[in-house]
Amino acid sequence: MNSVRDAALLNDLITTAGECQWLEFKHNNEDPQMIGKWCSALSNAARAAGRDFAYMVWGINDSNRAIVGTTFCPDRKTVGNQGFQLWLAQRLKPSVAFSFREIPHPGGNVILFEIPAATSAPVEFEGTAFIRIGSATPRLSDYPDRFQELLSQIRPYAWETGIAKSFLLGDEVLDSIDYASYFRLTKKRLPDNRDGIFENLKADNLISGDVGGRWNITNLGAILFAVDLDQFGAEISRKGVRFVAYDGRNRTAQVTHRRDGQRGYAAGFSGLLRYINDLLPSNEHIGEALREAQPLFPDLAVREIVANALIHQDMTIRGAGPLIELFSDRLEVSNPGRPLVQADRMIDLPPRSRNEALASLMRRMGMCEEQGSGLDKVIAQVELYQLPPPDFRESDGTMQVTLYGPRTFASMTPQERIRACYHHAVLRYLSGDKMKNNTLCERFGIPARNAAMASGVIKKALDEALIRPADAEHPRAGYVPYWA
């Protein structure tokens, strides 16, 4: 930890006005039971107060906040035959990533105890949760109103709120964040002064205030607007978008193009899509749908599945990020993390994102469709182009979406025909209609005289229980998805 930052943090804590439930000063009291109870109480009190951290500081006179130094040394302290910090960690549930740090000072050594606020549940010490009330640390269960207040504030860890870079000067923030892209994409006027720029970035949680009048760049700010992701270390830089193009249909073919994204997702999104689309071959004629040269894949479909991979990835998986692979016959887009919605319901159910702040801001900036409509439009575009249906697949903790190039009905595999039938039934149902033999013929580009081919696909989809008759007593009523 930066010693300069710790000194600035100490100064801010000492000068904090009024009584704070998330802050406690001590001189030399190093009783293990006392520290354990206070750790629980301060962690819970910090969350109730909307703070991310609580603090205990040894070496401070509580009455006048003068630095007097302390003899307490957590690194050398033991409880029985066990090191004190391990003893404390074993008695706190859920686990608390606390830290003790020594701050040298002319008035004597100061020990700073930094305690993360409760996240998934109230923090307990030896099976009991405590809370801070005035200078006391009573059991939380004795105060049901405060217990309910704390539960309403508790939230799981959100990756976006984590700190990618801390204790930065204003110039360092502006050198690291592409703030011009932020104002352009959010359609806001670029302020005439620095204070206005920082106010807007802070309002969207791209930066946050640090101690000593300095700034933090959040993970959200870095992943969306980094000028260079490598400036933020491996946890951020490894999440850059990777693109690989192959001269063939599998990964043994020669690599023709490779690109490792260096900019934040938002700052580099339009450039990435241009790069991909420039490499896509054109198709002059697909069934009855198109009669002029068009990209191999619909622009909207490419944009949406790329945005989907950025938004729905599991950011907590280290060393992995979105991967886009272009083959001669398909485009595969994958992201780390198992999907939160089962693959065959991604079209109709509202998406569940691990990264709500990221998703919300990307929608505001027009990088993806409104919530719940993106994949519907991907399927609609695929049907318009009469392409094989996209494949949504989860494998080994990774989500993969594949767009296929044009192929005739005869060239599609039986499973592709069945999947296309199911997708078509979903789209019809979402628009208030039913799938029928003639609508499926249109989707596949099958002439009316060959309608029996569509009937065969419908029968197989029924056999696999992906669709069902809309009205069992009236077969001509059409078909709906199995879950309708």
Side-chain angles (χ1 to χ4, degrees):
M1 180 60 68
N2 188 315
S3 60
V4 177
R5 183 185 183 277
D6 277 348
L9 172 59
L10 176 62
N11 183 66
D12 279 5
L13 295 176
I14 290 174
T15 57
T16 297
E19 184 181 81
C20 294
Q21 299 302 304
W22 47 269
L23 176 61
E24 176 68 14
F25 295 108
K26 297 291 181 185
H27 182 193
N28 283 321
N29 190 337
E30 54 184 86
D31 176 63
Q33 291 290 324
M34 179 277 297
I35 295 174
K37 290 175 62 176
W38 275 96
C39 185
S40 166
L42 288 169
S43 179
N44 294 329
R47 175 56 62 215
R51 302 277 306 188
D52 290 327
F53 292 95
Y55 299 92
M56 286 185 72
V57 187
W58 281 263
I60 307 294
N61 186 318
D62 195 21
S63 60
N64 59 13
R65 300 195 178 184
I67 296 178
V68 295
T70 183
T71 59
F72 175 44
C73 182
D75 289 341
R76 292 198 299 266
K77 184 175 180 60
T78 59
V79 182
N81 295 322
Q82 192 173 35
F84 165 65
Q85 295 188 51
L86 176 60
W87 176 91
L88 178 61
Q90 290 175 341
R91 285 157 176 77
L92 295 171
K93 302 295 181 185
S95 179
V96 177
F98 60 76
S99 67
F100 287 93
R101 302 198 292 274
E102 182 178 348
I103 305 176
H105 191 275
N109 277 359
V110 173
I111 297 297
L112 176 72
F113 183 25
E114 185 174 73
I115 309 162
T119 53
S120 58
V123 172
E124 299 177 349
F125 172 66
E126 294 187 335
T128 301
F130 297 89
I131 192 65
R132 175 85 180 271
I133 300 179
S135 60
T137 57
R139 293 182 302 178
L140 180 60
S141 59
D142 292 341
Y143 293 85
D145 290 346
R146 292 179 184 264
F147 181 72
Q148 290 302 320
E149 178 186 0
L150 175 59
L151 290 182
S152 70
Q153 293 290 330
I154 278 179
R155 57 184 181 275
Y157 170 74
W159 182 88
E160 298 118 312
T161 64
I163 303 303
K165 247 184 179 182
S166 63
F167 203 56
L168 300 177
L169 296 170
D171 285 344
E172 293 175 308
V173 172
L174 298 182
D175 287 342
S176 301
I177 292 292
D178 187 352
Y179 62 92
S181 289
Y182 163 77
F183 284 97
R184 174 175 54 83
L185 291 169
T186 56
K187 297 180 173 58
K188 295 181 179 180
R189 183 183 65 85
L190 182 64
D192 298 327
N193 55 72
R194 286 162 58 102
D195 288 345
I197 293 174
F198 284 95
E199 181 181 344
N200 279 271
L201 295 178
K202 184 178 180 181
D204 269 325
N205 298 313
L206 305 179
I207 63 173
S208 62
D210 202 349
V211 298
R214 297 205 184 192
W215 296 94
N216 301 319
I217 297 176
T218 64
N219 287 339
L220 179 64
I223 203 64
L224 283 180
F225 292 104
V227 172
D228 183 355
L229 290 170
D230 285 338
Q231 292 182 9
F232 292 90
E235 184 175 351
I236 297 293
S237 65
R238 295 285 182 86
K239 299 192 182 303
V241 181
R242 292 172 52 218
F243 174 86
V244 184
Y246 301 90
D247 186 21
R249 299 176 61 181
N250 57 57
R251 293 176 182 85
T252 63
Q254 180 181 355
V255 174
T256 59
H257 296 82
R258 185 188 300 274
R259 171 171 167 157
D260 293 326
Q262 296 298 311
R263 297 172 65 80
Y265 293 165
F269 190 70
S270 60
L272 172 64
L273 292 184
R274 283 196 302 272
Y275 182 83
I276 295 172
N277 287 326
D278 286 347
L279 293 176
L280 295 179
S282 295
N283 187 72
E284 293 187 355
H285 183 70
I286 307 174
E288 299 296 324
L290 305 173
R291 297 188 179 279
E292 58 184 14
Q294 294 286 344
L296 191 66
F297 309 108
D299 289 347
L300 186 150
V302 173
R303 184 189 76 191
E304 189 61 31
I305 66 168
V306 170
N308 201 64
L310 305 184
I311 290 170
H312 296 296
Q313 65 180 299
D314 187 344
M315 294 291 192
T316 65
I317 297 177
R318 295 177 177 270
L323 172 63
I324 304 170
E325 296 176 287
L326 176 63
F327 300 88
S328 60
D329 63 338
R330 68 192 187 279
L331 181 72
E332 293 185 1
V333 181
S334 58
N335 60 267
R338 303 181 67 175
L340 300 179
V341 177
Q342 64 190 72
D344 65 350
R345 299 301 303 274
M346 287 184 175
I347 313 171
D348 64 292
L349 289 178
R352 294 175 56 200
S353 176
R354 298 176 176 91
N355 313 298
E356 290 296 344
L358 175 68
S360 175
L361 192 49
M362 287 187 68
R363 283 192 291 268
R364 274 177 50 201
M365 294 185 294
M367 294 181 180
C368 53
E369 294 296 315
E370 289 301 314
Q371 188 168 6
S373 67
L375 291 183
D376 302 358
K377 293 184 178 179
V378 169
I379 302 298
Q381 287 285 296
V382 164
E383 289 205 353
L384 174 65
Y385 278 59
Q386 292 177 344
L387 302 176
D391 189 12
F392 305 99
R393 181 172 301 180
E394 186 263 322
S395 175
D396 297 328
T398 298
M399 180 61 197
Q400 184 181 82
V401 181
T402 303
L403 283 179
Y404 293 96
R407 270 186 280 126
T408 63
F409 174 82
S411 300
M412 291 186 196
T413 67
Q415 280 304 311
E416 286 175 336
R417 296 172 187 172
I418 294 170
R419 191 167 68 248
C421 176
Y422 171 68
H423 288 175
H424 181 64
V426 173
L427 285 186
R428 298 286 296 180
Y429 179 78
L430 293 178
S431 63
D433 295 321
K434 309 291 188 300
M435 179 185 73
K436 297 185 178 180
N437 187 285
N438 65 310
T439 68
L440 190 60
C441 284
E442 293 175 7
R443 186 267 177 260
F444 283 125
I446 297 174
R449 64 180 180 275
N450 295 330
M453 297 166 65
S455 299
V457 175
I458 291 173
K459 182 180 184 304
K460 290 180 180 178
L462 286 168
D463 291 342
E464 294 200 10
L466 290 174
I467 61 173
R468 65 173 180 82
D471 185 340
E473 296 182 1
H474 300 86
R476 294 182 179 273
Y479 303 90
V480 296
Y482 71 91
W483 42 260

